[in-house]
Amino acid sequence: MAAISPFVTAFATSLGQRLGTSVRVRRRPRRRNVEGDNLALTHHTRTTTIEVSADLGDEARLALIDLDVTRPELWGHHLRWNDEAAAWLPVPVTPRSDDAT
């Protein structure tokens, strides 16, 4: 993930400047042996997780830098780049079988 590190730093700096407050950005390894990291952005009491990988395209990177993660439909969700929509979108939550009634 060394190739993505400068981008993560630039993203975190840009986000802090836009929000005018501190945002804690942590990198978390992705699960299930998937290459890449998740960025966990914590602002006040809410955390947004963003899937980032080394093969993330320029369009996705540029869109992420401009992304307003404070929008209610995004903040506090897990975001993934959607090529068809050319946007960062929340990953739909699917109920687990033990959650069904």
Side-chain angles (χ1 to χ4, degrees), residues 42-60:
T42 304
H43 178 250
H44 297 295
T45 61
R46 302 196 88 178
T47 299
T48 300
T49 306
I50 302 172
E51 290 185 15
V52 179
S53 64
D55 63 348
L56 198 60
D58 289 339
E59 182 180 17

Side-chain angles (χ1 to χ4, degrees), residues 6-21 23 25:
F7 168 73
V8 170
T9 301
F11 169 70
T13 301
S14 171
L15 184 62
Q17 289 171 347
R18 284 185 287 136
L19 294 179
T21 184
V23 175
V25 178

Side-chain angles (χ1 to χ4, degrees), residues 11-85:
F11 169 70
T13 301
S14 171
L15 184 62
Q17 289 171 347
R18 284 185 287 136
L19 294 179
T21 184
S22 64
V23 175
R24 188 171 67 168
V25 178
R26 291 176 290 134
R27 292 171 66 173
R28 295 181 182 164
R30 300 246 309 264
R31 295 181 182 159
R32 293 182 228 115
N33 297 324
V34 176
E35 185 175 327
D37 284 340
N38 285 331
L39 296 179
L41 313 172
T42 304
H43 178 250
H44 297 295
T45 61
R46 302 196 88 178
T47 299
T48 300
T49 306
I50 302 172
E51 290 185 15
V52 179
S53 64
D55 63 348
L56 198 60
D58 289 339
E59 182 180 17
R61 291 180 189 209
L62 291 172
L64 182 57
I65 289 173
D66 292 332
L67 184 66
D68 179 6
V69 294
T70 63
R71 291 181 9 221
E73 67 271 21
L74 300 180
W75 192 245
H77 293 280
H78 182 98
L79 306 179
R80 181 181 297 148
W81 178 253
N82 182 307
D83 282 324
E84 286 183 23

